[in-house]
Amino acid sequence: MPSPQFLNLPMEKQGQIVQASLREFAENGYDRASTNRIVEQARISKGVLFKYFEDKESLFLYVVEIALKAYVNAFPAEDAPSFDDPFHWLKEVTMRKIRFSQEHPLIYRFLVRIAKEPEHPVYAKVMDAITATTQQYMAQVAALLPPGKLRDGLRWEQVFFIVECMTRGFREAYISQIPDAVDENFEASFQRLHDELDVYLDIIKRGVYKEVHQQ
Amino acid sequence: MPSPQFLNLPMEKQGQIVQASLREFAENGYDRASTNRIVEQARISKGVLFKYFEDKESLFLYVVEIALKAYVNAFPAEDAPSFDDPFHWLKEVTMRKIRFSQEHPLIYRFLVRIAKEPEHPVYAKVMDAITATTQQYMAQVAALLPPGKLRDGLRWEQVFFIVECMTRGFREAYISQIPDAVDENFEASFQRLHDELDVYLDIIKRGVYKEVHQQ
DNA sequence: AGCTGCCGTGACCATGTGGTCACGAGAGAT
DNA sequence: ATCTCTCGTGACCACATGGTCACGGCAGCT
């Protein structure tokens, strides 16, 4: 979508523009985001922005593309976790999402913002890409879901649903205001999240399995 | 906040204005909402709207007031449920929220919209009012939380957290697109929700209690 | 009929928006 | 030195926004 001119720019300058756009869109949403502020932040002139991109929407879509690419990269299919229990996998996915939100806070906030604007045309596309990513990540899992472990009447999709709800609330509550830069005691807080998450996943696990999994 | 002029208007006209504002704000959020469209929808002229309300924000705050009043009324303290198990109460609260969202879809969407704009000044106020409502509703519950029922290391606040996450996802998934008017087979779908909700609450209950509660 | 006072009107204002375009700086070629 | 061509500039445009205000209609009084 961007013009060749843009793609021939030094990476640093491309980065400036993308970063400024990400921030502006993340903070204000699509409509309220101002191209004036973007060019100001990116230290370029108004005119050239619209030589690089056809219009505001084109810029937005490009930034969406970048964000999704980064997101997908955080879930490389080749090292999807092997597991003996689907809950290992659920935990791994959640931790990767959290790690992503800490390593790419701007992109994360950008995507979260989009998720709050369902009326916007790209909403469906972005959400599809995101769920597709984790679903592709779980492709092998689907086939291996152990039958008979769940209490009668329960389906794995219900389990996934409740886990997804919980982890979303978890992410929002614990990392709602992430700084732009990575925190210094990153690993320490990461470990705390790890433990806390275990508590909640264990609740659901005990709630859905026939017999209690040994701790 | 509105001028006496407005309050002396026939109720029907007041209703027109409030309804038009609710819809415009619910659909577009505060910033994107257009007073031009509001006066158009409400069939009044631009000038008089700003005689009734000092400015856009004042109108918005008034509408917020109306919405919150309606919400609070949906949780009358006098008939807070008596219970032998906090989960009865959790279920009752959730069902009332769902019922409210079906009986006042416009107001519900309006409040949901606000909940998606944390940067807006009224966000905190609205969220506080909402949580205060359910908390006041549960005042007696807090004192009566049965000790010793939870597995060691678990706290009730963790249980409430996970239930809140689950029920929010539940509401969003099942009633994301509610029509403006109440559905005709209202009670039937309400019963379905009832049953489905039981499944999820039961999962959490089994997950947090020491021994399984008899079904 | 004439006067008064209030309510509602919509053209109008300043401001900010997404987007344009005539201009100029400067590098390379001759 | 001059020409050319590309890239970047920022004043500028039409438009939509929240908000204003001189005006007119009209009910009630004298």
Side-chain angles (χ1 to χ4, degrees):
Chain A
M1 278 297 196
S3 76
Q5 263 181 70
F6 174 80
L7 296 173
N8 285 337
L9 248 39
M11 272 309 182
E12 192 187 334
K13 201 159 192 184
Q14 288 189 35
Q16 271 176 36
I17 297 172
V18 168
Q19 184 121 338
S21 307
L22 272 174
R23 178 174 288 111
E24 181 69 15
F25 283 125
E27 283 175 5
N28 305 101
Y30 179 78
D31 294 279
R32 249 175 85 201
S34 157
T35 51
N36 291 338
R37 283 195 294 265
I38 290 178
V39 300
E40 195 180 322
Q41 277 275 333
R43 302 179 165 281
I44 59 175
S45 80
K46 191 88 173 285
V48 82
L49 177 65
F50 288 95
K51 287 217 169 84
Y52 294 157
F53 298 90
E54 201 177 331
D55 52 15
K56 188 186 185 184
E57 187 180 356
S58 165
L59 166 64
F60 181 66
L61 292 178
Y62 178 69
V63 173
V64 166
E65 218 66 47
I66 298 248
L68 284 182
K69 221 170 281 179
Y71 188 81
V72 170
N73 282 346
F75 297 86
E78 64 267 21
D79 64 36
S82 63
F83 65 94
D84 51 355
D85 180 348
F87 275 88
H88 288 176
W89 173 82
L90 285 168
K91 180 177 180 184
E92 179 65 22
V93 168
T94 304
M95 289 312 289
R96 291 207 182 208
K97 285 184 185 173
I98 291 176
R99 189 174 278 270
F100 176 81
S101 74
Q102 308 222 25
E103 286 175 347
H104 305 277
L106 218 52
I107 294 179
Y108 179 77
R109 288 205 303 249
F110 175 75
L111 291 174
V112 167
R113 181 81 201 206
I114 291 178
K116 288 180 180 173
E117 298 184 348
E119 69 275 6
H120 195 281
V122 298
Y123 172 82
K125 179 190 166 185
V126 170
M127 299 315 271
D128 282 357
I130 287 179
T131 59
T133 297
T134 50
Q135 271 173 12
Q136 151 249 314
Y137 194 61
M138 86 172 272
Q140 53 211 300
V141 179
L144 294 175
L145 289 177
K149 268 195 160 184
L150 294 185
R151 282 175 20 232
D152 288 346
L154 285 184
R155 284 164 289 125
W156 274 105
E157 80 189 45
Q158 290 173 313
V159 180
F160 290 151
F161 172 75
I162 197 172
V163 169
E164 176 55 31
C165 289
M166 183 274 284
T167 56
R168 180 156 58 111
F170 191 74
R171 291 200 302 276
E172 284 177 9
Y174 284 79
I175 48 180
S176 51
Q177 63 288 61
I178 325 162
D180 280 6
V182 172
D183 199 65
E184 66 269 6
N185 42 16
F186 175 76
E187 289 301 331
S189 64
F190 198 66
Q191 184 57 44
R192 256 206 343 273
L193 287 173
H194 218 278
D195 297 340
E196 190 102 16
L197 182 58
D198 267 336
V199 173
Y200 289 114
L201 278 175
D202 196 50
I203 288 176
I204 298 175
K205 191 161 147 185
R206 288 175 188 255
V208 298
Y209 276 3
K210 269 179 184 159
E211 61 255 33
V212 174
H213 187 87
Q214 68 277 13
Q215 180 67 323
Chain B
M1 278 297 195
S3 77
Q5 261 181 73
F6 174 79
L7 297 173
N8 285 336
L9 247 40
M11 272 309 181
E12 191 188 333
K13 202 161 192 182
Q14 286 190 36
Q16 271 176 35
I17 297 173
V18 168
Q19 184 120 339
S21 306
L22 272 174
R23 177 173 288 111
E24 181 69 14
F25 283 125
E27 282 175 6
N28 305 100
Y30 180 79
D31 294 280
R32 248 175 85 201
S34 156
T35 51
N36 292 338
R37 283 194 295 265
I38 289 178
V39 301
E40 195 180 321
Q41 278 274 332
R43 302 179 165 280
I44 59 174
S45 81
K46 191 88 173 286
V48 81
L49 177 65
F50 288 95
K51 287 216 169 86
Y52 294 157
F53 298 91
E54 200 176 332
D55 52 14
K56 188 186 185 184
E57 188 181 356
S58 165
L59 167 63
F60 181 66
L61 292 178
Y62 178 68
V63 173
V64 166
E65 218 67 45
I66 298 246
L68 285 182
K69 220 171 282 180
Y71 189 80
V72 170
N73 282 347
F75 296 87
E78 64 266 20
D79 64 35
S82 63
F83 66 93
D84 51 354
D85 181 346
F87 275 87
H88 289 176
W89 173 82
L90 285 168
K91 180 177 178 183
E92 180 64 22
V93 168
T94 304
M95 289 312 288
R96 291 209 182 208
K97 285 183 186 174
I98 292 177
R99 190 174 276 270
F100 177 80
S101 74
Q102 308 222 24
E103 286 176 348
H104 305 276
L106 218 51
I107 294 180
Y108 179 76
R109 289 205 303 250
F110 176 74
L111 291 173
V112 167
R113 182 80 201 207
I114 292 179
K116 288 180 179 173
E117 298 185 347
E119 69 273 9
H120 196 281
V122 299
Y123 173 82
K125 179 190 165 182
V126 171
M127 299 315 271
D128 283 357
I130 286 179
T131 60
T133 297
T134 51
Q135 270 173 12
Q136 153 248 314
Y137 195 61
M138 86 172 273
Q140 52 210 301
V141 178
L144 294 176
L145 289 176
K149 267 195 159 183
L150 294 185
R151 282 173 21 229
D152 289 345
L154 284 184
R155 286 163 288 124
W156 274 105
E157 79 190 46
Q158 290 173 313
V159 180
F160 290 152
F161 172 76
I162 196 172
V163 168
E164 176 56 31
C165 290
M166 184 273 285
T167 57
R168 181 156 58 109
F170 192 73
R171 290 200 302 277
E172 284 177 10
Y174 284 78
I175 47 180
S176 52
Q177 64 287 61
I178 325 164
D180 280 6
V182 170
D183 199 65
E184 65 268 6
N185 42 15
F186 175 75
E187 289 301 332
S189 65
F190 197 67
Q191 183 57 44
R192 255 205 346 272
L193 287 172
H194 217 279
D195 297 341
E196 191 101 16
L197 182 58
D198 267 337
V199 173
Y200 288 114
L201 278 175
D202 196 50
I203 289 176
I204 298 176
K205 191 161 148 185
R206 287 175 190 254
V208 297
Y209 276 3
K210 271 179 182 159
E211 61 255 34
V212 173
H213 187 86
Q214 67 276 12
Q215 180 65 319

mmCIF file of all heavy atoms in Angstrom, chain B residues 8-41:
data_model
loop_
_atom_site.group_PDB
_atom_site.id
_atom_site.type_symbol
_atom_site.label_atom_id
_atom_site.label_comp_id
_atom_site.label_asym_id
_atom_site.label_seq_id
_atom_site.Cartn_x
_atom_site.Cartn_y
_atom_site.Cartn_z
ATOM 1 N N ASN B 8 -38.884 21.788 31.918
ATOM 2 C CA ASN B 8 -40.307 22.108 31.769
ATOM 3 C C ASN B 8 -40.896 21.591 30.467
ATOM 4 O O ASN B 8 -42.099 21.678 30.250
ATOM 5 C CB ASN B 8 -40.514 23.633 31.854
ATOM 6 C CG ASN B 8 -40.386 24.128 33.280
ATOM 7 O OD1 ASN B 8 -40.580 23.364 34.223
ATOM 8 N ND2 ASN B 8 -40.037 25.390 33.430
ATOM 9 N N LEU B 9 -40.035 21.072 29.622
ATOM 10 C CA LEU B 9 -40.519 20.531 28.356
ATOM 11 C C LEU B 9 -41.455 19.352 28.616
ATOM 12 O O LEU B 9 -41.310 18.667 29.624
ATOM 13 C CB LEU B 9 -39.313 20.054 27.533
ATOM 14 C CG LEU B 9 -38.956 20.790 26.253
ATOM 15 C CD1 LEU B 9 -39.113 22.288 26.409
ATOM 16 C CD2 LEU B 9 -37.530 20.466 25.853
ATOM 17 N N PRO B 10 -42.394 19.135 27.713
ATOM 18 C CA PRO B 10 -43.197 17.906 27.832
ATOM 19 C C PRO B 10 -42.278 16.693 27.815
ATOM 20 O O PRO B 10 -41.278 16.668 27.083
ATOM 21 C CB PRO B 10 -44.103 17.930 26.596
ATOM 22 C CG PRO B 10 -43.562 19.018 25.718
ATOM 23 C CD PRO B 10 -42.829 19.970 26.605
ATOM 24 N N MET B 11 -42.636 15.704 28.628
ATOM 25 C CA MET B 11 -41.791 14.524 28.792
ATOM 26 C C MET B 11 -41.418 13.891 27.455
ATOM 27 O O MET B 11 -40.301 13.422 27.270
ATOM 28 C CB MET B 11 -42.518 13.493 29.669
ATOM 29 C CG MET B 11 -42.276 13.693 31.158
ATOM 30 S SD MET B 11 -40.506 13.821 31.530
ATOM 31 C CE MET B 11 -40.526 14.001 33.309
ATOM 32 N N GLU B 12 -42.363 13.908 26.558
ATOM 33 C CA GLU B 12 -42.130 13.250 25.275
ATOM 34 C C GLU B 12 -40.944 13.880 24.546
ATOM 35 O O GLU B 12 -40.079 13.192 24.021
ATOM 36 C CB GLU B 12 -43.391 13.357 24.418
ATOM 37 C CG GLU B 12 -43.358 12.481 23.179
ATOM 38 C CD GLU B 12 -44.562 12.781 22.279
ATOM 39 O OE1 GLU B 12 -45.601 13.231 22.815
ATOM 40 O OE2 GLU B 12 -44.436 12.595 21.060
ATOM 41 N N LYS B 13 -40.907 15.204 24.584
ATOM 42 C CA LYS B 13 -39.825 15.895 23.896
ATOM 43 C C LYS B 13 -38.499 15.672 24.615
ATOM 44 O O LYS B 13 -37.469 15.443 23.977
ATOM 45 C CB LYS B 13 -40.128 17.387 23.800
ATOM 46 C CG LYS B 13 -39.359 18.077 22.690
ATOM 47 C CD LYS B 13 -39.986 19.410 22.306
ATOM 48 C CE LYS B 13 -39.401 19.949 21.012
ATOM 49 N NZ LYS B 13 -39.975 21.270 20.676
ATOM 50 N N GLN B 14 -38.524 15.730 25.932
ATOM 51 C CA GLN B 14 -37.310 15.414 26.689
ATOM 52 C C GLN B 14 -36.798 14.031 26.282
ATOM 53 O O GLN B 14 -35.612 13.824 26.062
ATOM 54 C CB GLN B 14 -37.600 15.427 28.189
ATOM 55 C CG GLN B 14 -37.786 16.806 28.791
ATOM 56 C CD GLN B 14 -37.827 16.782 30.316
ATOM 57 O OE1 GLN B 14 -37.125 16.005 30.955
ATOM 58 N NE2 GLN B 14 -38.666 17.629 30.883
ATOM 59 N N GLY B 15 -37.745 13.100 26.204
ATOM 60 C CA GLY B 15 -37.387 11.740 25.830
ATOM 61 C C GLY B 15 -36.733 11.681 24.463
ATOM 62 O O GLY B 15 -35.706 11.019 24.278
ATOM 63 N N GLN B 16 -37.318 12.391 23.502
ATOM 64 C CA GLN B 16 -36.732 12.447 22.154
ATOM 65 C C GLN B 16 -35.257 12.843 22.213
ATOM 66 O O GLN B 16 -34.394 12.223 21.596
ATOM 67 C CB GLN B 16 -37.451 13.497 21.313
ATOM 68 C CG GLN B 16 -38.662 13.028 20.532
ATOM 69 C CD GLN B 16 -39.326 14.198 19.825
ATOM 70 O OE1 GLN B 16 -38.642 15.121 19.370
ATOM 71 N NE2 GLN B 16 -40.641 14.176 19.738
ATOM 72 N N ILE B 17 -35.009 13.911 22.964
ATOM 73 C CA ILE B 17 -33.645 14.446 23.017
ATOM 74 C C ILE B 17 -32.697 13.470 23.698
ATOM 75 O O ILE B 17 -31.605 13.180 23.206
ATOM 76 C CB ILE B 17 -33.642 15.810 23.734
ATOM 77 C CG1 ILE B 17 -34.474 16.809 22.933
ATOM 78 C CG2 ILE B 17 -32.225 16.308 23.929
ATOM 79 C CD1 ILE B 17 -34.689 18.145 23.608
ATOM 80 N N VAL B 18 -33.155 12.933 24.831
ATOM 81 C CA VAL B 18 -32.301 11.986 25.557
ATOM 82 C C VAL B 18 -32.027 10.763 24.701
ATOM 83 O O VAL B 18 -30.883 10.299 24.597
ATOM 84 C CB VAL B 18 -32.961 11.580 26.889
ATOM 85 C CG1 VAL B 18 -32.235 10.400 27.506
ATOM 86 C CG2 VAL B 18 -32.982 12.764 27.846
ATOM 87 N N GLN B 19 -33.065 10.259 24.080
ATOM 88 C CA GLN B 19 -32.915 9.053 23.263
ATOM 89 C C GLN B 19 -31.939 9.292 22.106
ATOM 90 O O GLN B 19 -31.038 8.494 21.853
ATOM 91 C CB GLN B 19 -34.291 8.661 22.696
ATOM 92 C CG GLN B 19 -34.267 7.375 21.902
ATOM 93 C CD GLN B 19 -35.196 6.336 22.497
ATOM 94 O OE1 GLN B 19 -35.559 6.402 23.663
ATOM 95 N NE2 GLN B 19 -35.576 5.370 21.688
ATOM 96 N N ALA B 20 -32.132 10.418 21.419
ATOM 97 C CA ALA B 20 -31.247 10.731 20.296
ATOM 98 C C ALA B 20 -29.801 10.851 20.772
ATOM 99 O O ALA B 20 -28.874 10.354 20.122
ATOM 100 C CB ALA B 20 -31.692 12.028 19.627
ATOM 101 N N SER B 21 -29.614 11.482 21.929
ATOM 102 C CA SER B 21 -28.255 11.651 22.455
ATOM 103 C C SER B 21 -27.655 10.308 22.834
ATOM 104 O O SER B 21 -26.511 10.008 22.502
ATOM 105 C CB SER B 21 -28.284 12.569 23.672
ATOM 106 O OG SER B 21 -28.919 13.789 23.359
ATOM 107 N N LEU B 22 -28.439 9.502 23.543
ATOM 108 C CA LEU B 22 -27.967 8.172 23.933
ATOM 109 C C LEU B 22 -27.482 7.416 22.704
ATOM 110 O O LEU B 22 -26.378 6.862 22.696
ATOM 111 C CB LEU B 22 -29.101 7.384 24.589
ATOM 112 C CG LEU B 22 -29.292 7.529 26.092
ATOM 113 C CD1 LEU B 22 -30.550 6.799 26.528
ATOM 114 C CD2 LEU B 22 -28.096 6.964 26.840
ATOM 115 N N ARG B 23 -28.304 7.407 21.678
ATOM 116 C CA ARG B 23 -27.946 6.624 20.490
ATOM 117 C C ARG B 23 -26.679 7.177 19.836
ATOM 118 O O ARG B 23 -25.775 6.424 19.504
ATOM 119 C CB ARG B 23 -29.099 6.624 19.492
ATOM 120 C CG ARG B 23 -28.737 5.876 18.206
ATOM 121 C CD ARG B 23 -29.916 5.725 17.266
ATOM 122 N NE ARG B 23 -30.886 4.761 17.748
ATOM 123 C CZ ARG B 23 -32.113 5.048 18.176
ATOM 124 N NH1 ARG B 23 -32.518 6.294 18.165
ATOM 125 N NH2 ARG B 23 -32.920 4.103 18.590
ATOM 126 N N GLU B 24 -26.638 8.483 19.688
ATOM 127 C CA GLU B 24 -25.474 9.082 19.028
ATOM 128 C C GLU B 24 -24.192 8.812 19.821
ATOM 129 O O GLU B 24 -23.173 8.429 19.251
ATOM 130 C CB GLU B 24 -25.690 10.593 18.859
ATOM 131 C CG GLU B 24 -24.550 11.314 18.152
ATOM 132 C CD GLU B 24 -24.419 10.959 16.686
ATOM 133 O OE1 GLU B 24 -25.359 10.366 16.126
ATOM 134 O OE2 GLU B 24 -23.366 11.250 16.104
ATOM 135 N N PHE B 25 -24.249 8.987 21.122
ATOM 136 C CA PHE B 25 -23.062 8.743 21.943
ATOM 137 C C PHE B 25 -22.710 7.259 21.967
ATOM 138 O O PHE B 25 -21.540 6.891 21.931
ATOM 139 C CB PHE B 25 -23.287 9.249 23.364
ATOM 140 C CG PHE B 25 -23.184 10.741 23.505
ATOM 141 C CD1 PHE B 25 -24.226 11.484 24.053
ATOM 142 C CD2 PHE B 25 -22.043 11.421 23.095
ATOM 143 C CE1 PHE B 25 -24.135 12.868 24.177
ATOM 144 C CE2 PHE B 25 -21.947 12.801 23.218
ATOM 145 C CZ PHE B 25 -23.004 13.521 23.764
ATOM 146 N N ALA B 26 -23.736 6.421 22.037
ATOM 147 C CA ALA B 26 -23.477 4.984 22.101
ATOM 148 C C ALA B 26 -22.800 4.506 20.823
ATOM 149 O O ALA B 26 -21.891 3.680 20.857
ATOM 150 C CB ALA B 26 -24.781 4.224 22.323
ATOM 151 N N GLU B 27 -23.242 5.051 19.700
ATOM 152 C CA GLU B 27 -22.707 4.569 18.427
ATOM 153 C C GLU B 27 -21.342 5.150 18.102
ATOM 154 O O GLU B 27 -20.524 4.518 17.450
ATOM 155 C CB GLU B 27 -23.677 4.904 17.285
ATOM 156 C CG GLU B 27 -24.871 3.951 17.234
ATOM 157 C CD GLU B 27 -25.889 4.367 16.179
ATOM 158 O OE1 GLU B 27 -25.602 5.316 15.438
ATOM 159 O OE2 GLU B 27 -26.960 3.745 16.130
ATOM 160 N N ASN B 28 -21.091 6.375 18.564
ATOM 161 C CA ASN B 28 -19.887 7.066 18.113
ATOM 162 C C ASN B 28 -18.900 7.441 19.192
ATOM 163 O O ASN B 28 -17.810 7.913 18.888
ATOM 164 C CB ASN B 28 -20.294 8.340 17.365
ATOM 165 C CG ASN B 28 -21.246 8.054 16.226
ATOM 166 O OD1 ASN B 28 -22.441 8.231 16.351
ATOM 167 N ND2 ASN B 28 -20.711 7.565 15.135
ATOM 168 N N GLY B 29 -19.282 7.239 20.441
ATOM 169 C CA GLY B 29 -18.400 7.712 21.499
ATOM 170 C C GLY B 29 -18.512 9.216 21.630
ATOM 171 O O GLY B 29 -19.139 9.883 20.799
ATOM 172 N N TYR B 30 -17.884 9.741 22.673
ATOM 173 C CA TYR B 30 -18.063 11.165 22.957
ATOM 174 C C TYR B 30 -17.544 12.051 21.824
ATOM 175 O O TYR B 30 -18.244 12.935 21.341
ATOM 176 C CB TYR B 30 -17.361 11.531 24.260
ATOM 177 C CG TYR B 30 -17.500 12.981 24.627
ATOM 178 C CD1 TYR B 30 -18.668 13.454 25.203
ATOM 179 C CD2 TYR B 30 -16.483 13.887 24.379
ATOM 180 C CE1 TYR B 30 -18.817 14.789 25.527
ATOM 181 C CE2 TYR B 30 -16.616 15.225 24.701
ATOM 182 C CZ TYR B 30 -17.786 15.665 25.273
ATOM 183 O OH TYR B 30 -17.922 16.992 25.579
ATOM 184 N N ASP B 31 -16.335 11.785 21.387
ATOM 185 C CA ASP B 31 -15.699 12.721 20.455
ATOM 186 C C ASP B 31 -16.332 12.718 19.076
ATOM 187 O O ASP B 31 -16.517 13.758 18.472
ATOM 188 C CB ASP B 31 -14.208 12.402 20.327
ATOM 189 C CG ASP B 31 -13.496 12.655 21.632
ATOM 190 O OD1 ASP B 31 -13.186 13.809 21.917
ATOM 191 O OD2 ASP B 31 -13.283 11.688 22.381
ATOM 192 N N ARG B 32 -16.633 11.501 18.610
ATOM 193 C CA ARG B 32 -17.150 11.410 17.242
ATOM 194 C C ARG B 32 -18.626 11.770 17.180
ATOM 195 O O ARG B 32 -19.153 12.001 16.088
ATOM 196 C CB ARG B 32 -16.951 9.986 16.724
ATOM 197 C CG ARG B 32 -15.939 9.879 15.605
ATOM 198 C CD ARG B 32 -15.721 8.432 15.239
ATOM 199 N NE ARG B 32 -16.683 7.912 14.294
ATOM 200 C CZ ARG B 32 -16.955 6.630 14.119
ATOM 201 N NH1 ARG B 32 -16.344 5.731 14.863
ATOM 202 N NH2 ARG B 32 -17.826 6.222 13.230
ATOM 203 N N ALA B 33 -19.286 11.761 18.327
ATOM 204 C CA ALA B 33 -20.712 12.107 18.335
ATOM 205 C C ALA B 33 -20.876 13.536 17.848
ATOM 206 O O ALA B 33 -20.111 14.421 18.209
ATOM 207 C CB ALA B 33 -21.274 11.942 19.743
ATOM 208 N N SER B 34 -21.888 13.738 17.014
ATOM 209 C CA SER B 34 -22.095 15.056 16.412
ATOM 210 C C SER B 34 -23.387 15.678 16.942
ATOM 211 O O SER B 34 -24.453 15.073 16.843
ATOM 212 C CB SER B 34 -22.158 14.913 14.898
ATOM 213 O OG SER B 34 -22.866 15.991 14.328
ATOM 214 N N THR B 35 -23.254 16.876 17.474
ATOM 215 C CA THR B 35 -24.464 17.567 17.943
ATOM 216 C C THR B 35 -25.385 17.864 16.773
ATOM 217 O O THR B 35 -26.600 17.904 16.941
ATOM 218 C CB THR B 35 -24.096 18.878 18.649
ATOM 219 O OG1 THR B 35 -23.236 19.638 17.815
ATOM 220 C CG2 THR B 35 -23.401 18.610 19.973
ATOM 221 N N ASN B 36 -24.806 18.050 15.598
ATOM 222 C CA ASN B 36 -25.646 18.251 14.417
ATOM 223 C C ASN B 36 -26.594 17.069 14.216
ATOM 224 O O ASN B 36 -27.783 17.243 13.983
ATOM 225 C CB ASN B 36 -24.775 18.423 13.162
ATOM 226 C CG ASN B 36 -23.979 19.720 13.191
ATOM 227 O OD1 ASN B 36 -24.347 20.655 13.888
ATOM 228 N ND2 ASN B 36 -22.889 19.763 12.461
ATOM 229 N N ARG B 37 -26.040 15.864 14.300
ATOM 230 C CA ARG B 37 -26.888 14.690 14.106
ATOM 231 C C ARG B 37 -27.890 14.545 15.240
ATOM 232 O O ARG B 37 -29.016 14.085 15.029
ATOM 233 C CB ARG B 37 -26.020 13.429 13.982
ATOM 234 C CG ARG B 37 -25.351 13.286 12.623
ATOM 235 C CD ARG B 37 -24.789 11.884 12.428
ATOM 236 N NE ARG B 37 -23.705 11.604 13.358
ATOM 237 C CZ ARG B 37 -22.407 11.770 13.070
ATOM 238 N NH1 ARG B 37 -22.052 12.207 11.890
ATOM 239 N NH2 ARG B 37 -21.475 11.494 13.964
ATOM 240 N N ILE B 38 -27.479 14.906 16.445
ATOM 241 C CA ILE B 38 -28.398 14.788 17.579
ATOM 242 C C ILE B 38 -29.628 15.667 17.364
ATOM 243 O O ILE B 38 -30.756 15.212 17.497
ATOM 244 C CB ILE B 38 -27.689 15.153 18.903
ATOM 245 C CG1 ILE B 38 -26.679 14.060 19.269
ATOM 246 C CG2 ILE B 38 -28.705 15.305 20.035
ATOM 247 C CD1 ILE B 38 -25.893 14.344 20.534
ATOM 248 N N VAL B 39 -29.410 16.931 17.014
ATOM 249 C CA VAL B 39 -30.563 17.813 16.835
ATOM 250 C C VAL B 39 -31.413 17.344 15.656
ATOM 251 O O VAL B 39 -32.638 17.464 15.663
ATOM 252 C CB VAL B 39 -30.138 19.285 16.613
ATOM 253 C CG1 VAL B 39 -29.337 19.777 17.798
ATOM 254 C CG2 VAL B 39 -29.344 19.448 15.331
ATOM 255 N N GLU B 40 -30.749 16.772 14.666
ATOM 256 C CA GLU B 40 -31.481 16.256 13.515
ATOM 257 C C GLU B 40 -32.394 15.108 13.944
ATOM 258 O O GLU B 40 -33.586 15.108 13.669
ATOM 259 C CB GLU B 40 -30.450 15.778 12.485
ATOM 260 C CG GLU B 40 -30.960 15.526 11.091
ATOM 261 C CD GLU B 40 -29.816 15.059 10.193
ATOM 262 O OE1 GLU B 40 -28.684 15.591 10.345
ATOM 263 O OE2 GLU B 40 -30.036 14.172 9.374
ATOM 264 N N GLN B 41 -31.792 14.146 14.667
ATOM 265 C CA GLN B 41 -32.545 12.989 15.154
ATOM 266 C C GLN B 41 -33.649 13.398 16.119
ATOM 267 O O GLN B 41 -34.732 12.822 16.117
ATOM 268 C CB GLN B 41 -31.586 12.022 15.872
ATOM 269 C CG GLN B 41 -30.829 11.099 14.950
ATOM 270 C CD GLN B 41 -31.628 9.855 14.628
ATOM 271 O OE1 GLN B 41 -32.454 9.425 15.413
ATOM 272 N NE2 GLN B 41 -31.387 9.280 13.438
#
